[in-house]
């Protein structure tokens, strides 16, 4: 049976505003929404623009809004939507470049800001750093982020304040701070000790809800807040001595 797919279209070269275009299409029983989009593009309109790569929820490039829910198109079965009309829109909170493709620039800017790499002290030991399995287990949840920006798109703080670093960048920082090899300085942490950093989060947990990898960014932000309070106190005591 044919289904209506209402897809948001926008070409900055020709359009003043985004608008919906309706496509009639009959998906196959096991089609994912990514397969639906590819079929519509291949069979009806080759100009339809959207991102994808791995098709198995690893690259994070096909995050979209489908019937109001932020999700990975490659991980969303058409049949699971159980509807005759499917509305497909780009991720919110990021500017549309064309159709379903958004500009990730603010997302990457925040990501770079937190310095997303290990900062160990001294030279790397000849046999590398030793990390206990239990220590890795503590960090593992936060290492599975695929940088899909779903959490950033769902975040109400990012909606109202474009300076907010967002859940993905902050949970990535938590991932490194929690790593026993990382010895970044108090000054490096202080960069996020701000209303647009760790204290900006409203703790409404939308990031936790939409994350396709169960990273639970809000947990990471909470962890960073605790760490910051401890480090700040240590720093103050250090000064008094
Ligand atoms: S934390 Fe989850 S939702 Fe956010 S970018 Fe990483 S994988 Fe995507």
């Amino acid at each position: 049976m044919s289904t209506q797919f209402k897809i948001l279209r926008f070409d900055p070269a020709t359009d003043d505003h985004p608008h919906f275009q309706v496509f009639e299409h009959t998906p196959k029983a096991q089609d994912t929404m990514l397969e639906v989009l590819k079929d519509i593009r291949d069979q009806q309109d080759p100009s339809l623009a959207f991102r994808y790569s791995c098709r198995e929820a690893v690259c994070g490039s096909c995050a979209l809004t489908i019937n109001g829910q932020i999700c990975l198109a490659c991980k969303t079965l058409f049949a699971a939507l159980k509807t005759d009309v499917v509305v497909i829109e780009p991720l919110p909170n990021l500017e549309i470049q064309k159709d379903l493709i958004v500009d990730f620039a603010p997302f990457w800017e925040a990501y770079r800001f937190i310095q997303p790499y290990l900062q160990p002290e001294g030279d790397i030991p000849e046999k590398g750093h030793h990390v206990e399995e239990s220590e890795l287990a503590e960090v593992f949840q936060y290492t599975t982020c695929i940088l899909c920006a779903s959490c950033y798109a769902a975040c109400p703080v990012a909606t109202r304040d474009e300076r907010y670093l967002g859940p993905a960048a902050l949970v990535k920082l938590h991932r490194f701070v929690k790593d026993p090899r990382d010895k970044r300085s108090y000054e490096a942490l202080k960069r996020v000790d701000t209303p647009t950093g760790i204290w900006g989060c409203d703790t409404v947990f939308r990031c936790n809800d939409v994350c396709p990898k169960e990273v639970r960014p809000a947990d990471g932000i909470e962890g960073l807040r605790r760490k910051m309070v401890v480090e700040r106190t240590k720093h103050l005591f250090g000064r008094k001595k």
Side-chain angles (χ1 to χ4, degrees):
M1 198 178 97
S2 170
T3 299
Q4 275 195 353
F5 293 89
K6 294 175 77 173
I7 304 179
L8 199 84
R9 305 295 308 267
F10 178 62
D11 183 345
T14 52
D15 299 332
D16 289 334
H17 305 288
H19 59 279
F20 282 102
Q21 182 174 0
V22 180
F23 296 90
E24 295 281 342
H25 175 67
T26 306
K28 295 181 282 303
Q30 292 303 318
D31 272 357
T32 64
M33 285 305 297
L34 177 59
E35 284 157 338
V36 167
L37 279 170
K38 286 168 66 187
D39 282 346
I40 291 174
R41 179 197 61 190
D42 296 346
Q43 296 163 16
Q44 300 192 43
D45 187 345
S47 73
L48 178 62
F50 53 95
R51 281 198 186 103
Y52 70 97
S53 181
C54 75
R55 295 169 296 163
E56 50 191 338
V58 172
C59 74
S61 51
C62 67
L64 291 171
T65 310
I66 299 177
N67 282 354
Q69 301 293 320
I70 292 172
C71 58
L72 295 182
C74 71
K75 217 184 159 193
T76 305
L77 283 175
F78 163 73
L81 299 176
K82 298 189 189 328
T83 175
D84 296 335
V85 181
V86 180
V87 180
I88 308 175
E89 299 163 276
L91 288 179
N93 287 352
L94 295 161
E95 206 168 302
I96 302 174
Q97 286 183 317
K98 187 171 190 295
D99 298 338
L100 302 174
I101 295 178
V102 290
D103 183 0
F104 267 48
F107 179 80
W108 293 127
E109 201 179 313
Y111 188 64
R112 277 193 295 271
F113 180 81
I114 59 95
Q115 302 176 339
Y117 43 84
L118 275 178
Q119 298 186 14
E121 235 166 28
D123 296 332
I124 298 172
E126 201 182 311
K127 292 186 178 174
H129 293 280
H130 179 76
V131 182
E132 296 292 340
E133 255 182 58
S134 57
E135 291 173 320
L136 270 187
E138 293 262 309
V139 179
F140 181 75
Q141 166 192 347
Y142 306 110
T143 63
T144 57
C145 171
I146 55 173
L147 297 170
C148 66
S150 295
C151 55
Y152 186 92
C155 176
V157 185
T159 305
R160 65 171 187 261
D161 187 350
E162 60 185 11
R163 296 165 305 163
Y164 179 51
L165 292 172
L170 291 171
V171 75
K172 186 63 76 175
L173 176 61
H174 180 64
R175 174 257 174 275
F176 287 110
V177 166
K178 230 177 143 45
D179 192 303
R181 295 164 292 183
D182 193 283
K183 306 289 181 210
R184 70 187 64 206
S185 66
Y186 173 70
E187 292 307 316
L189 277 179
K190 253 181 76 178
R191 303 177 76 221
V192 298
D193 189 16
T194 63
T196 54
I198 55 174
W199 305 108
C201 173
D202 276 356
T203 54
V204 292
F205 303 113
R206 289 206 64 205
C207 52
N208 286 6
D209 293 342
V210 300
C211 177
K213 305 303 272 188
E214 296 181 22
V215 174
R216 297 185 59 85
D219 299 10
I221 296 171
E222 188 58 31
L224 276 179
R225 286 175 168 179
R226 288 170 189 271
K227 170 84 177 167
M228 197 65 231
V229 170
V230 171
E231 292 302 317
R232 214 194 275 166
T233 310
K234 274 197 223 161
H235 192 70
L236 285 173
F237 273 119
R239 271 193 185 160
K240 279 179 186 166
K241 278 179 186 170

